[in-house]
Amino acid sequence: MTVMKIAWESLVPNCIKPDQNTKKNPKEKKVIRTQISFHGIPVSDISSSTLSSDLSISLAGSNIHSFNLQELRVITQNFSTSNFIGEGGFGPVHKGFIDDKLRPGLKAQPVAVKLLDLDGSQGHREWLTEVIFLGQLSHPHLVKLIGYCCEEEHRLLVYEYMPRGSLENQLFRRYSVSLPWSTRMKIALGAAKGLAFLHEAKKPVIYRDFKASNILLDSDYTAKLSDFGLAKDGPEGDDTHVSTRVMGTHGYAAPEYIMTGHLTAASDVYSFGVVLLELLTGRRSVDKNRPHREQNLVDWARPQLKDPRKLRRIMDPRLEGMYSEEGIQNAALVAYQCLSHRPKARPDMSTVVKTLEPLMNYDDSSSMVTFVYTARAESSDVSEKDIQGEDSQKELKKESISSPHHQKQHHHHKNHYKHRKELSPNSPLHNGFKRA
């Protein structure tokens, strides 16, 4: 993992308007920034007229390419519907393919090209935020920015292609295959590592829009954070928080941030807790189609996380009980702490990572014994061939239960019996469970 050291004052040298009237108040102990800035550069002071050339010069050694619009038309077949992937607040996304024929030195790979919708909910400011943060930050659990295009009014971003799409689609899309427990924990751990990296960077970053749709998955279900349009520099020095206009997504934003506009790393921790709840329950953070008491996931689920019996009732039924009892209780403990109404009571993301890492070692059926019973039909009309077929099915099921292969395919069985286990006393969050 690396943090690229780029002097952002040199990133847009021709676009900065120096404010000579700004004087620091010596009596003010805590300076709270009230607008989006990039290491001291207010976005409102950045003009788009010379932005493209400034970015090209300053990002020359960063492996981030400046594409022109025609090149992106070519690789997406003129943004054809056949290459359309999806659409978010930023705008439509199309799949493309780049190689050294397009530009010498380019690695041959599929890419995702995101086109800014000029009439959408996000704009030039968010586009620039994304280029700057992803141009500065590099980590296995952050989506890789390959290049950008800033041509006249057009704003585009080119990312590595993530074949599994978003966690939101994998969890909630109709007819999608249910994610097994081990995969859910892998995704949670990867996303947690991405947030921990941002929070612990030399210049801390608050992500501010952590949600299932912003977690992208590669072919191995490795989670990577995307969409940095709302990200902000974290507080520095004696600052306790960053004061900003409330942005984000309903159902994921921390309550204190919504009420005060005070943004801290703990705000991201709360949002992580919401996503972890979604992974546990298979429910959306907000679902107006459910009964009134169950529409807000946090309000409905958090009070039930401490009781093992209630916890089992709210677990995603599509898991069909294929999980470790100890595993779900420890994961629920992490979610419970992250969702504390007291920001200071929430763990930091490095603690969350340490707590989730051991859960990767639990097999999906480690606390479960599976029984399969096939009753022979009593009807005299049943042929000998049918009976032989049933007997062979019995043998097949018996073999699959005892074979190592069953450990990977056990989620297809529905009948099960689970042994309860106690919470692991070694969990970093175990001792703080009752205090939240």
Side-chain angles (χ1 to χ4, degrees), residues 176-187:
S176 62
V177 178
S178 176
L179 295 173
W181 173 251
S182 58
T183 301
R184 298 184 191 212
M185 287 301 96
K186 178 180 181 178
I187 293 170

Side-chain angles (χ1 to χ4, degrees), residues 115-133:
L115 172 66
L116 174 63
D117 180 1
L118 299 178
D119 297 323
S121 60
Q122 298 187 35
H124 171 75
R125 178 175 300 192
E126 288 78 10
W127 177 89
L128 181 58
T129 303
E130 187 124 357
V131 174
I132 290 178
F133 276 118

Side-chain angles (χ1 to χ4, degrees), residues 27-264:
K27 296 181 180 180
E28 187 175 356
K29 294 182 179 180
K30 296 182 180 181
V31 179
I32 300 174
R33 283 167 284 160
T34 58
Q35 59 180 330
I36 297 179
S37 63
F38 306 106
H39 306 279
I41 305 176
V43 174
S44 58
D45 291 344
I46 298 177
S47 166
S48 62
S49 59
T50 57
L51 179 61
S52 183
S53 60
D54 289 336
L55 286 174
S56 297
I57 294 171
S58 298
L59 296 177
S62 66
N63 292 324
I64 296 179
H65 300 272
S66 175
F67 295 102
N68 60 54
L69 186 59
Q70 181 57 32
E71 288 175 321
L72 300 186
R73 289 187 193 277
V74 170
I75 68 172
T76 60
Q77 296 178 320
N78 201 24
F79 303 102
S80 68
T81 55
S82 61
N83 285 356
F84 179 75
I85 299 175
E87 187 164 4
F90 188 96
V93 184
H94 291 77
K95 185 179 180 180
F97 188 85
I98 61 173
D99 56 22
D100 56 5
K101 294 179 182 178
L102 179 70
R103 187 79 63 82
L106 276 180
K107 174 187 174 182
Q109 62 178 311
V111 294
V113 180
K114 189 160 68 171
L115 172 66
L116 174 63
D117 180 1
L118 299 178
D119 297 323
S121 60
Q122 298 187 35
H124 171 75
R125 178 175 300 192
E126 288 78 10
W127 177 89
L128 181 58
T129 303
E130 187 124 357
V131 174
I132 290 178
F133 276 118
L134 288 181
Q136 177 192 20
L137 304 167
S138 177
H139 187 269
H141 293 288
L142 303 185
V143 69
K144 182 180 179 181
L145 179 66
I146 295 173
Y148 63 91
C149 173
C150 177
E151 189 173 312
E152 297 179 346
E153 75 277 12
H154 303 290
R155 300 288 182 274
L156 299 95
L157 297 170
V158 182
Y159 304 93
E160 62 176 317
Y161 176 67
M162 303 292 281
R164 300 285 185 185
S166 71
L167 173 59
E168 179 184 48
N169 283 341
Q170 292 288 333
L171 266 184
F172 307 123
R173 184 176 54 195
R174 185 174 296 182
Y175 308 124
S176 62
V177 178
S178 176
L179 295 173
W181 173 251
S182 58
T183 301
R184 298 184 191 212
M185 287 301 96
K186 178 180 181 178
I187 293 170
L189 178 60
K193 287 180 177 180
L195 272 185
F197 169 74
L198 294 177
H199 293 173
E200 296 172 3
K202 185 176 181 181
K203 290 185 179 294
V205 175
I206 301 176
Y207 187 59
R208 197 160 62 141
D209 200 19
F210 187 88
K211 56 183 179 180
S213 61
N214 282 345
I215 301 172
L216 301 185
L217 308 171
D218 70 7
S219 57
D220 294 324
Y221 292 97
T222 299
K224 301 191 180 188
L225 306 188
S226 68
D227 198 343
F228 280 69
L230 297 183
K232 292 214 27 117
D233 289 331
E236 299 177 10
D238 293 333
D239 294 1
T240 59
H241 61 269
V242 176
S243 184
T244 180
R245 182 163 57 103
V246 176
M247 301 286 286
T249 304
H250 178 56
Y252 292 96
E256 76 280 357
Y257 173 55
I258 295 174
M259 293 177 62
T260 67
H262 292 176
L263 188 66
T264 66

